Amino acid sequence: MMQTEKSDCLEQVSSAQNNQDLSNVYDHWSQEYDESVISFGYNPPAVINGLVGRFVPSNDANILDAGVGTGMVGELLAILGYTNLVGIDLSLGMLERAGKKQVYQDLRQMVLGEPLAFTDNEFDAVVSAGTFSANHAPPESFDEFVRIVKPQGFIIVTIRVDVASYIDAIQAQIDTLEKEGWCQLVEHSKPFKNIPLVSETATIKAFVYRVLRDS
Ligand SMILES: C[S@@+](CC[C@H](N)C(=O)[O-])C[C@H]1O[C@@H](n2cnc3c(N)ncnc32)[C@H](O)[C@@H]1O
């Protein structure tokens, strides 16, 4: 794939109108995704890995990678010794690429923002890199995260912060969950460019939330 075609995929991702469109774009991009985003200087998986190492030190931790894509997060977590990884994504093409890396125990098609087919308290942590972005995972995704993560477990995510309508909606959702006692912000990074070699404006922050409820 030429550099212009890779940028076309990025453009199509930003302009997708619904989950079906988005899934089609990622299905198409999946074969070249890793090569593309590496050429963009894409860094969220590395930042998420640093935070998992700090907050979820046990290599046995049961970790859900939400919006797993081609498995770039799991690939790095596996190098650090994490063995209990599950990934979900709406794109079957991306899931298929993730499977080839052989670092996930389970990979399933699920849609963030809809009910997730996991039991309460199933995970020690949910992680997500690059998926909380405009027209990607919606704010309601967090309602399911606080349900499926054990009390005292962690939600470690990057969120796009330069699109005001998106970050405002996410923040409102999380504020409500915090007020209701479901979770608490523990740490956030500085804002940083997530594809610095191709965009001066795309900016994200990494956030760490602790899940608080008792049962
Ligand atoms: C930018 S990619 C990031 C993939 C991977 N986490 C990484 O860092 O390379 C975003 C991924 O989120 C998935 N995605 C977007 N919206 C989603 C949703 N509502 N539910 C599930 N997956 C979604 C896409 O299919 C895509 O694989």
Side-chain angles (χ1 to χ4, degrees), residues 7-184:
S7 306
D8 285 350
C9 288
L10 202 55
E11 190 65 38
Q12 287 166 20
V13 160
S14 318
S15 57
Q17 295 299 309
N18 52 49
N19 280 343
Q20 186 58 57
D21 271 5
L22 192 61
S23 175
N24 290 344
V25 176
Y26 276 112
D27 282 350
H28 173 70
W29 196 9
S30 58
Q31 305 296 314
E32 314 285 343
Y33 174 87
D34 288 18
E35 186 198 320
S36 293
V37 299
I38 288 167
S39 77
F40 300 161
Y42 181 72
N43 51 24
V47 173
I48 290 293
N49 266 260
L51 291 170
V52 173
R54 192 185 310 164
F55 288 96
V56 193
S58 167
N59 279 347
D60 297 329
N62 194 15
I63 298 175
L64 175 67
D65 185 355
V68 60
T70 58
M72 293 179 90
V73 169
E75 202 173 7
L76 296 176
L77 285 174
I79 291 170
L80 297 178
Y82 291 88
T83 53
N84 239 328
L85 308 177
V86 175
I88 58 171
D89 203 282
L90 58 77
S91 159
L92 286 174
M94 297 293 267
L95 286 164
E96 196 245 321
R97 296 303 289 183
K100 289 196 187 317
K101 292 186 178 154
Q102 300 190 330
V103 295
Y104 291 90
Q105 302 293 299
D106 193 12
L107 287 163
R108 290 155 73 177
Q109 187 180 38
M110 287 189 211
V111 180
L112 294 166
E114 297 181 1
L116 301 179
F118 297 115
T119 56
D120 296 358
N121 306 336
E122 191 159 336
F123 296 98
D124 296 297
V126 170
V127 302
S128 186
T131 300
F132 281 89
S133 187
N135 75 5
H136 282 52
E140 311 81 68
S141 312
F142 282 87
D143 297 9
E144 280 294 82
F145 291 172
V146 297
R147 179 183 71 77
I148 64 177
V149 173
K150 293 171 189 163
Q152 303 305 317
F154 291 95
I155 299 168
I156 303 176
V157 293
T158 65
I159 304 179
R160 184 92 185 249
V161 292
D162 60 309
V163 180
S165 57
Y166 185 72
I167 183 62
D168 289 352
I170 294 265
Q171 202 55 67
Q173 190 79 11
I174 296 174
D175 285 352
T176 303
L177 290 171
E178 287 195 285
K179 279 192 196 112
E180 291 175 357
W182 290 92
C183 63
Q184 171 189 53

